[in-house]
Amino acid sequence: MSPFSLTLGTTSHRFSSLSELMAKATPRRSGDELAGVGAASAEERVAAQMLLADVPLSRFLEDLLVPYEEDEVTRLIIDTHDANAFAPVSNLTVGEFRNWLLRYETDAPLLAALAPGLTPEMVAAVSKIMGNQDLVLVAQKCSVVTAFRSTIGLPSRLSVRLQPNHPTDDPKGIAASILDGMLYGCGDAVIGINPASDSVAAVSTLLHLLDDLIHRFEIPTQSCILTHVTTAMRCMAVGAPTDLVFQSVAGTQAANNSFGISLSLLREAHDAARSLKRGSVGSNCMYFETGQGSCLSANAHHGLDQQTCEVRAYAVARAFSPLLVNTVVGFIGPEYLYDGKQIIRAGLEDHFCGKLLGLPIGVDVCYTNHVEADQDDMDTLLTLLGVAGCNFIMGVPGADDIMLGYQSTSFHDSHYLRQALNLRPAPEFEEWLEKMNIVHQGKHLIPVAPNHPLLPEN
């Protein structure tokens, strides 16, 4: 197709392809500069954004950024596209679509009906010409609700993944972190452990530990061991109590190959987990994690910018109706997101794009210790995401994951958001917290009595 060109002042800017235009229109980030696809100057970025605003949304169905014949993610995107759902915006350009999204009349039901008609590339494109406040406002209008033993994503609710990681998978250390998190009212999204060992025996031990805890205290939540999908399938085969199946996913077939997965393998795991029928209020049984830079780090980005690749990963997740999708926004490091400003922008982009595509998305508000960011940056992103209606965040003891070695959000951060924005936990979990005298009215902690049933001497 024809190239794109624009003259600003005395400088002519020319972009040879839609993929180049998308990359050059992306707000600045270190990963795109590392890949050699980012804009060379602020002026070039503005020129690309102006040209991108005039691209018809329908062009993304014809001018494919990754060839259909070479990539099963592209085939998934095109083959599952819902033309009827797309119809209300099919005649709009990217810029007109931005204006349509920001209208007062564009509400949650309209956006939910539209989601199957949007491709990741359309959503990535519109995000590139939106300001941070645009991303917050539109995401806040989207509603995506899922359920297993608790219902996630209802209006005015904020859930928390309780993340009790331990560098040696020590059951006592994990149990202590779970107790700490529960007494802060965290864990309604999932109790999710990143295991130190990927063996079936080690993962099964953790699954039994969490299953015993959940059933002994009748906690309306779900467990997940964040092991490779093939290990989870082997655990299910030997009868280990598996609630959610986890997998990291990426936006190209080649990147997913580097993870050791394919769409057919994910489908097999999804079917196996659903057949167990372990949910009580719903059957969404998958948990996916993503992160900008994963395709580039695998040299599997097809010359695309990292944010467009990230949004393509959401098409993979969407195909399996997950309970949770988590963008681990600052985890990979400064090679991909250099500082707090870039992490904040990426977190808002990921959340907006996930919600617009119909995903139950949460954000691990995080950074590594060698990036130019600090906890104040994370507080800013956390607040913006709370306003934007983020489905869930992480709850990590002391905000410091001693197993994975990065900084995230702590148990008490959920109370900041719940108090500041009048948010509450998932309804089933809130009822349990009230019954256990842990919180009052969903967000106010109650001092723990010495004989509290969760304390170990009981």
Side-chain angles (χ1 to χ4, degrees):
M1 294 190 176
S2 59
F4 306 85
S5 62
L6 177 70
T7 299
L8 293 178
T10 59
T11 305
S12 179
H13 299 276
R14 189 176 187 276
F15 308 95
S16 62
S17 65
L18 184 56
S19 60
E20 183 186 5
L21 183 68
M22 291 274 281
K24 296 294 178 68
T26 306
R28 186 183 183 188
R29 63 208 58 199
S30 54
D32 292 339
E33 293 174 349
L34 176 67
V37 301
S41 66
E43 181 179 296
E44 185 181 35
R45 183 173 298 109
V46 169
Q49 290 172 339
M50 292 174 68
L51 288 166
L52 183 60
D54 289 334
V55 173
L57 290 178
S58 57
R59 179 163 180 169
F60 291 98
L61 298 172
E62 306 161 2
D63 193 353
L64 305 183
L65 304 187
V66 182
Y68 183 92
E69 299 77 13
E70 299 177 13
D71 187 272
E72 69 173 357
V73 177
T74 298
R75 293 194 290 275
L76 172 70
I77 292 167
I78 297 302
D79 294 348
T80 60
H81 179 254
D82 188 330
N84 290 330
F86 181 54
V89 298
S90 61
N91 64 335
L92 300 182
T93 65
V94 172
E96 290 168 340
F97 183 43
R98 171 190 174 273
N99 295 339
W100 185 90
L101 290 170
L102 293 170
R103 295 187 317 166
Y104 288 106
E105 298 83 3
T106 302
D107 56 12
L110 271 179
L111 292 169
L114 177 65
L118 297 176
T119 69
E121 292 83 358
M122 296 174 191
V123 172
V126 76
S127 74
K128 296 175 191 298
I129 64 166
M130 297 175 78
N132 285 2
Q133 66 175 248
D134 298 340
L135 300 175
V136 169
L137 177 59
V138 177
Q140 193 273 334
K141 295 198 286 187
C142 297
S143 177
V144 183
V145 179
T146 55
F148 192 78
R149 293 195 192 100
S150 57
T151 305
I152 312 299
L154 291 167
S156 300
R157 303 277 177 173
L158 173 73
S159 295
V160 183
R161 170 189 161 189
L162 203 169
Q163 186 170 311
N165 295 342
H166 192 279
T168 64
D169 287 343
D170 177 60
K172 290 184 179 179
I174 290 171
S177 292
I178 293 173
L179 172 62
D180 190 19
M182 285 287 170
L183 293 177
Y184 271 99
C186 298
D188 51 339
V190 64
I191 305 174
I193 302 172
N194 296 87
S197 169
D198 204 37
S199 72
V200 172
V203 172
S204 294
T205 296
L206 295 176
L207 285 169
H208 281 287
L209 184 155
L210 295 182
D211 188 63
D212 177 65
L213 176 73
I214 288 171
H215 285 91
R216 182 188 307 179
F217 294 102
E218 299 179 332
I219 308 170
T221 191
Q222 37 283 327
S223 69
C224 184
I225 309 302
L226 281 70
T227 187
H228 193 270
V229 64
T230 54
T231 304
M233 291 168 68
R234 291 197 293 271
C235 288
M236 286 187 278
V238 298
T242 304
D243 290 344
L244 306 185
V245 171
F246 165 82
Q247 184 56 49
S248 294
V249 295
T252 68
Q253 180 178 336
N256 284 324
N257 287 344
S258 76
F259 290 160
I261 62 169
S262 64
L263 295 179
S264 61
L265 180 63
L266 293 177
R267 194 168 296 113
E268 183 180 354
H270 175 248
D271 291 345
R274 277 182 62 91
S275 72
L276 299 178
K277 298 181 179 179
R278 293 177 58 82
S280 57
V281 296
S283 59
N284 302 111
C285 59
M286 301 296 282
Y287 176 17
F288 294 114
E289 286 193 347
T290 67
Q292 288 194 28
S294 58
C295 289
L296 174 57
S297 66
N299 195 27
H301 59 296
H302 292 267
L304 302 182
D305 65 273
Q306 65 184 37
Q307 191 248 347
T308 297
C309 287
E310 166 73 3
V311 186
R312 282 172 54 92
Y314 301 160
V316 176
R318 183 170 64 173
F320 301 98
S321 302
L323 179 74
L324 307 166
V325 178
N326 177 32
T327 169
V328 192
V329 66
F331 183 72
I332 301 183
E335 303 90 340
Y336 304 96
L337 296 169
Y338 179 75
D339 56 16
K341 180 180 178 66
Q342 292 186 13
I343 292 173
I344 289 168
R345 173 68 191 190
L348 295 178
E349 288 171 349
D350 292 354
H351 179 253
F352 161 84
C353 292
K355 277 288 187 70
L356 198 54
L357 286 168
L359 285 185
I361 196 159
V363 180
D364 191 343
V365 180
C366 64
Y367 64 103
T368 55
N369 287 317
H370 59 312
V371 76
E372 292 294 324
D374 58 27
Q375 205 61 43
D376 286 339
D377 294 315
M378 298 305 103
D379 287 349
T380 299
L381 178 54
L382 177 68
T383 304
L384 289 167
L385 289 167
V387 176
C390 189
N391 277 26
F392 67 99
I393 59 170
M394 303 296 109
V396 178
D400 184 1
D401 193 303
I402 58 172
M403 185 270 195
L404 295 176
Y406 78 116
Q407 308 302 308
S408 185
T409 42
S410 69
F411 300 141
H412 71 266
D413 285 328
S414 65
H415 288 276
Y416 154 63
L417 272 191
R418 285 171 178 168
Q419 290 178 75
L421 301 176
N422 196 29
L423 304 172
R424 302 168 83 124
E428 302 88 352
F429 195 75
E430 180 183 10
E431 183 179 346
W432 180 81
L433 291 172
E434 300 266 359
K435 183 178 72 173
M436 296 294 287
N437 290 318
I438 294 174
V439 301
H440 175 60
Q441 294 181 342
K443 51 186 180 290
H444 302 298
L445 284 173
I446 298 172
V448 177
N451 62 345
H452 193 281
L454 279 181
L455 294 180
E457 49 266 28
N458 290 278

